[in-house]
Amino acid sequence: MLLGLAFSGWANAAKYSVVLPVEASGLECRARAARVSVLFQSAPGVEKVDAVDCVNEFSSDSSRGEYRVYSLAVDYTAREHVQLASAVYGSDVNGFESAAYYGAFATLDACLAARPAEIAAFEAHAGVSGLFVACLPDEGQYSDAFYLVIQGFGSAKKELISTDFGRYFRKGEQLSSGQIQWLAAELASRKADVRLNDGRRLLYYAEYAIPTKLETVAWFQASNQCAEQLVDVSAIYGRASAQALVECQQGEYATRMVALALESRIDGSQLIPQKYSTFDACMKFKPAVEARELRNDPRRFLGLVCARNTTGEGFVHLKLTAW
């Protein structure tokens, strides 16, 4: 966090403070702080480095020996706060943004092994030098993973974007191999550089975040009831200006239709009260009901799915609409 206070020593100057995690690199904390002071003194707009204090330390054993990270509080005087481009290889508590909560690496060794390539990627995409680097335990209460943080002076040309699909899954579940491959290809077509795509977490560099949604469209008693509607539901997502991969995934007791979509405008689904005793009857009257819904709501209506009635017997139409 950066703090600014009025300062009368220089015109239009103020005091600022920032806390940085910095690898020890074989130095004791005071010696490492002295080097950071020199780096900050050379940053654009900095009039004076007032102090660099050691305020915390993390240390752990790795396969490479002891690994230490210092938390250094930098107080400086400048015309404005120093811009720091930052990439954090983790996600926030909701899984939507790059942050330190869910770390991208299962172990410290995995984080350290990835470090050189990710510094190179940061420098290539952000367009600044990775001066301050650290692998640290993430902030998840029930997690023992690690995140990598890379920072440097300047404004990033491209940001590290994070999406954590964990909120969609139970423990042990992940995207299918087809979804993983499709997602990588779609992001590459948008000139995103995918750094991690392991079926639960997605990290990529891009100029802006690409909205990604994983949705269970409907449940079915028989797999053929799902397969018969795959083309129709893919077309529905197309009408919502979305690129989507729609799959039928077989569970222990039922089949679910799952859509992995980019930039989807689908608002959700609503159950139409009319019930049908069989799936065939639901499909038979689907065109007539679609025509009626389109006539009544031409701007938002996208299409129907015949699905099992989850609140009773038989089958119903699920109406998908755009926001």
Side-chain angles (χ1 to χ4, degrees):
M1 180 185 299
L2 295 170
L3 302 172
L5 300 172
F7 183 76
S8 59
W10 290 273
N12 301 318
K15 284 185 176 292
Y16 296 93
S17 179
V18 62
V19 177
L20 297 171
V22 181
E23 290 175 329
S25 301
L27 300 175
E28 292 302 317
C29 196
R30 291 182 64 180
R32 193 71 177 93
R35 293 194 179 185
V36 169
S37 178
V38 173
L39 287 173
F40 254 83
Q41 189 65 65
S42 65
V46 172
E47 301 282 1
K48 178 187 176 185
V49 175
D50 301 303
V52 181
D53 298 313
C54 301
V55 296
N56 206 345
E57 178 181 338
F58 162 74
S59 64
S60 181
D61 292 329
S62 75
S63 62
R64 309 177 185 196
E66 185 186 32
Y67 178 75
R68 285 192 296 172
V69 174
Y70 303 127
S71 294
L72 301 179
V74 183
D75 299 327
Y76 63 97
T77 302
R79 292 186 293 275
E80 59 183 10
H81 70 78
V82 172
Q83 283 192 312
L84 281 169
S86 178
V88 183
Y89 286 69
S91 58
D92 65 7
V93 66
N94 295 312
F96 293 121
E97 296 180 0
S98 172
Y101 196 80
Y102 292 116
F105 305 100
T107 65
L108 175 59
D109 279 338
C111 184
L112 294 174
R115 179 186 176 284
E118 298 312 322
I119 292 174
F122 171 81
E123 292 179 341
H125 293 297
V128 301
S129 297
L131 299 176
F132 311 111
V133 181
C135 285
L136 289 167
D138 72 19
E139 297 171 10
Q141 184 176 359
Y142 303 106
S143 172
D144 56 2
F146 287 78
Y147 70 94
L148 171 66
V149 57
I150 308 169
Q151 295 177 283
F153 297 131
S155 178
K157 296 178 180 178
K158 292 184 177 181
E159 301 286 348
L160 182 67
I161 312 297
S162 176
T163 299
D164 194 319
F165 293 103
R167 63 188 183 277
Y168 298 113
F169 298 128
R170 291 174 296 185
K171 187 174 181 180
E173 293 182 333
Q174 65 175 52
L175 297 178
S176 69
S177 59
Q179 288 171 326
I180 292 171
Q181 294 170 14
W182 178 87
L183 188 56
E186 287 295 324
L187 290 170
S189 72
R190 290 164 170 77
K191 298 182 179 179
D193 180 13
V194 178
R195 305 307 303 171
L196 177 65
N197 181 19
D198 65 1
R200 288 187 65 87
R201 293 162 296 189
L202 175 67
L203 289 167
Y204 60 93
Y205 280 98
E207 293 180 2
Y208 58 90
I210 301 168
T212 307
K213 293 177 69 176
L214 185 67
E215 301 172 308
T216 297
V217 180
W219 290 90
F220 303 91
Q221 293 172 312
S223 59
N224 67 293
Q225 296 170 356
C226 179
E228 190 173 334
Q229 299 182 88
L230 279 179
V231 173
D232 289 346
V233 174
S234 295
I236 288 173
Y237 275 86
R239 288 194 285 275
S241 302
Q243 293 294 319
L245 176 67
V246 186
E247 289 187 340
C248 295
Q249 297 182 352
Q250 183 64 50
E252 186 176 358
Y253 301 108
T255 298
R256 67 174 178 172
M257 180 184 287
V258 181
L260 176 61
L262 301 181
E263 300 172 335
S264 171
R265 292 173 46 246
I266 291 182
D267 186 37
S269 63
Q270 296 173 298
L271 186 150
I272 295 178
Q274 181 67 50
K275 297 179 178 61
Y276 302 90
S277 59
T278 66
F279 175 75
D280 288 342
C282 185
M283 291 294 289
K284 177 181 178 180
F285 290 99
K286 181 178 169 182
V289 178
E290 282 183 327
R292 183 173 183 272
E293 292 292 335
L294 183 61
R295 184 171 63 246
N296 293 335
D297 190 6
R299 188 180 67 84
R300 297 181 63 241
F301 178 69
L302 296 171
L304 300 178
V305 182
C306 281
R308 185 179 64 184
N309 181 12
T310 57
T311 62
E313 298 293 327
F315 295 82
V316 292
H317 291 126
L318 297 178
K319 177 173 69 172
L320 276 67
T321 55
W323 46 263

